């Protein structure tokens, strides 16, 4: 056990500024920290070393949920669900899931544009100020995942209500987490049995009649729906909220996109690079002794990849704190992870945000914060940095 005084991690929950500890870590890109759970971990902050951890199979995501290993925080989902995409692949469901989350599937792009337009028109009818998170980014993400899964949009609020607990960072087990999980699994099982269900859940339900899938229980199929809704909504909502916030903090970027909307895809990559929506570290467990930079990592030690530090590494991104639409390597950011756990919904997440920005630029060209930035309240002990509310006017 180390006797040195350890940095406490995670750092600030504020999403309007990079935590000051990050610049201090430049000289020590693999540093011991203490997690919320009280365990020690290696915090990896330089781009090349972060990329190495994410891509090296000797660092495992699945094993971070094993009994007795050091933890970043208490689990709020069953341990076996942590490696969700790996489980989906192992169950033979990867093709169905990837098809469902492909933005080119079944008119999804047109649906997203129509949905974003409807929501923004509603805001315009309501009149400023409005909470853009509560009235736009939340329902836009929730309704998207209801459509993908083939469940009623009217059920989105009941599923979304679980996410405030499911994505908490807590030192000790959260009493409500299992109640959340059991309730949502029961809901998805009901949808499997509902003949009016469409989308991915209907495809999964149909597999129950295929002898090649006899090994899959209803609970295993329902788990796909619960995790896709939860992780998908939190990730798309969190990034979109922070992308809009970043644009409001960089009005020259917003103004340029008004004049050159064809630059929106490039802007989204740069917004992914600079956004601070990932509030924790991407966890991996060392499966054997590994040399990482100047550090000898021992088997069984916890690694935490600090994406916001890697994405602002000055050796990779010159002037890293400047939001530059023309940055040639913006797309190399690590905001979608890397290696075998690279986010499979990358194309969907980017297109979801691009369309939202297109609609906001068209219908609310003078969008701005309705309150001073220091009045925003940032959620604490949560896997994503998000403002509780994002009041705007136009």
């Amino acid at each position: 056990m180390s006797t040195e005084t350890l940095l406490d991690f995670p750092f600030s929950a504020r999403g309007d500024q990079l935590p000051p500890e990050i610049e201090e870590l430049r000289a020590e890109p693999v540093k011991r920290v203490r997690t919320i759970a009280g365990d020690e971990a290696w915090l990896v902050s330089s781009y090349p070393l972060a990329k190495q951890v994410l891509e090296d199979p000797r660092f495992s995501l699945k094993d971070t949920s094993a009994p007795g290993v050091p933890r970043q925080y208490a689990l709020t989902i069953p341990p076996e669900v942590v490696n969700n995409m790996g489980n989906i692949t192992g169950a033979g469901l990867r093709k169905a899931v990837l098809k469902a989350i492909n933005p080119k599937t079944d008119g999804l792009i047109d649906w997203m544009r129509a949905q974003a337009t409807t929501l923004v028109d509603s805001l315009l009818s309501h009149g400023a100020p409005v909470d853009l998170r509560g009235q736009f980014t939340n329902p836009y993400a929730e309704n998207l995942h209801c459509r993908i899964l083939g469940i009623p949009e009217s059920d989105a609020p009941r599923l979304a209500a679980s996410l405030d607990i499911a994505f908490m960072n807590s030192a000790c087990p959260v009493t409500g987490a299992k109640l959340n999980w059991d309730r949502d699994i029961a809901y998805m099982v009901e949808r499997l049995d509902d003949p009016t269900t469409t989308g991915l859940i209907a495809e999964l339900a149909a597999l129950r009649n295929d002898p090649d899938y006899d090994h899959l229980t209803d609970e295993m199929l329902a788990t796909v729906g619960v995790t896709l809704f939860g992780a998908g909504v939190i990730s798309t909502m969190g990034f979109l909220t922070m992308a809009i916030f970043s644009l409001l903090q960089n009005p020259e970027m917003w103004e340029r996109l008004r004049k050159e909307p064809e630059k929106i895809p490039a802007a989204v990559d740069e917004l992914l690079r600079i956004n601070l929506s990932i509030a924790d570290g991407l966890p991996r467990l060392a499966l054997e002794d590994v040399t990482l930079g100047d550090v000898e990592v021992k088997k069984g030690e916890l690694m935490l990849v600090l994406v916001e530090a890697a994405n602002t590494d000055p050796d990779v991104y010159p002037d890293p704190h400047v939001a530059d639409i023309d940055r040639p390597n913006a797309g190399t950011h690590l905001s979608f992870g890397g290696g075998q756990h690279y986010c499979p919904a990358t194309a969907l997440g980017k297109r979801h945000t691009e369309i939202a920005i297109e609609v906001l630029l068209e219908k609310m060209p003078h969008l701005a914060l309705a309150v001073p930035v220091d009045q925003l309240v940032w959620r604490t002990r949560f896997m994503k940095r998000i403002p509780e509310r994002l009041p705007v006017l136009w």
Side-chain angles (χ1 to χ4, degrees), residues 51-374:
K51 196 168 188 290
Q52 178 183 336
V53 171
L54 293 174
E55 295 179 350
D56 190 331
R58 294 174 296 177
F59 297 108
S60 166
L61 172 62
K62 175 175 68 72
D63 291 280
T64 60
S65 62
V69 303
R71 298 214 187 281
Q72 184 171 196
Y73 37 71
L75 293 177
T76 54
I77 57 175
E80 64 273 13
V81 180
V82 168
N83 184 30
N84 187 44
M85 203 61 202
N87 296 334
I88 287 171
T89 300
L93 302 175
R94 183 178 180 87
K95 184 177 179 181
V97 171
L98 291 182
K99 177 185 175 184
I101 60 178
N102 184 335
K104 296 179 181 178
T105 297
D106 189 27
L108 199 52
I109 288 176
D110 289 340
W111 182 91
M112 285 191 284
R113 183 168 285 108
Q115 177 74 188
T117 298
T118 297
L119 290 169
V120 171
D121 284 345
S122 177
L123 299 182
L124 292 169
S125 297
H126 181 280
V130 297
D131 171 15
L132 199 65
R133 198 193 127 210
Q135 295 178 250
F136 179 65
T137 65
N138 276 15
Y140 181 44
E142 293 162 10
N143 293 345
L144 168 65
H145 287 83
C146 284
R147 186 184 190 278
I148 289 170
L149 290 170
I151 60 179
E153 284 184 14
S154 57
D155 289 345
R158 64 179 290 184
L159 292 169
S162 298
L163 306 186
D164 290 342
I165 289 178
F167 289 85
M168 278 183 174
N169 294 347
S170 174
C172 55
V174 179
T175 306
K178 188 175 188 308
L179 295 173
N180 253 353
W181 181 261
D182 291 346
R183 180 184 61 198
D184 292 347
I185 288 292
Y187 168 84
M188 287 296 175
V189 169
E190 289 176 3
R191 299 287 72 72
L192 287 167
D193 293 331
D194 184 347
T196 66
T197 299
T198 58
L200 178 60
I201 296 298
E203 290 192 36
L204 297 180
L207 295 179
R208 298 184 295 182
N209 300 319
D210 187 331
D212 290 340
Y213 292 91
D214 281 346
H215 61 292
L216 298 179
T217 64
D218 282 359
E219 183 171 345
M220 292 168 69
L221 294 171
T223 294
V224 175
V226 173
T227 54
L228 193 150
F229 183 89
V233 167
I234 284 292
S235 296
T236 53
M237 177 279 294
F239 170 56
L240 175 58
T241 301
M242 293 301 292
I244 295 170
F245 173 73
S246 294
L247 284 171
L248 298 181
Q249 294 300 102
N250 292 275
E252 69 290 341
M253 192 176 186
W254 177 266
E255 187 58 30
R256 184 170 175 197
L257 293 178
R258 281 183 59 196
K259 297 175 180 176
E260 301 176 65
E262 69 277 7
K263 293 283 188 180
I264 290 175
V268 167
D269 267 325
E270 181 69 342
L271 291 166
L272 279 160
R273 185 189 71 82
I274 66 170
N275 95 94
L276 301 179
S277 66
I278 302 175
D280 54 9
L282 303 185
R284 300 290 187 270
L285 196 78
L287 299 181
E288 58 185 75
D289 294 354
V290 181
T291 300
L292 187 67
D294 297 328
V295 170
E296 296 298 320
V297 176
K298 299 301 182 184
K299 178 181 178 179
E301 291 187 321
L302 178 63
M303 318 299 297
L304 299 174
V305 172
L306 188 57
V307 170
E308 61 204 36
N311 283 350
T312 53
D313 187 335
D315 292 337
V316 178
Y317 304 104
D319 297 321
H321 307 303
V322 174
D324 181 3
I325 293 175
D326 299 314
R327 190 179 296 277
N329 64 341
T332 63
H333 61 77
L334 300 180
S335 295
F336 288 118
Q340 63 178 321
H341 296 291
Y342 184 75
C343 177
T346 294
L348 177 65
K350 291 172 68 171
R351 200 70 188 96
H352 175 263
T353 292
E354 289 168 9
I355 289 170
I357 292 172
E358 289 170 9
V359 172
L360 289 170
L361 283 166
E362 176 188 345
K363 291 182 169 287
M364 295 179 171
H366 303 293
L367 189 68
L369 280 178
V371 298
V373 69
D374 64 2

Side-chain angles (χ1 to χ4, degrees), residues 6-11 13 33-41 70-75 167-174 279-281 302 304 380-383:
L6 302 181
L7 274 178
D8 290 325
F9 183 80
F11 302 137
V33 295
R34 189 174 304 283
T35 70
I36 292 172
D39 292 328
E40 293 187 13
R71 298 214 187 281
Q72 184 171 196
Y73 37 71
L75 293 177
F167 289 85
M168 278 183 174
N169 294 347
S170 174
C172 55
V174 179
D280 54 9
L302 178 63
L304 299 174
T380 59
R381 294 292 180 95
F382 201 65
M383 293 183 198

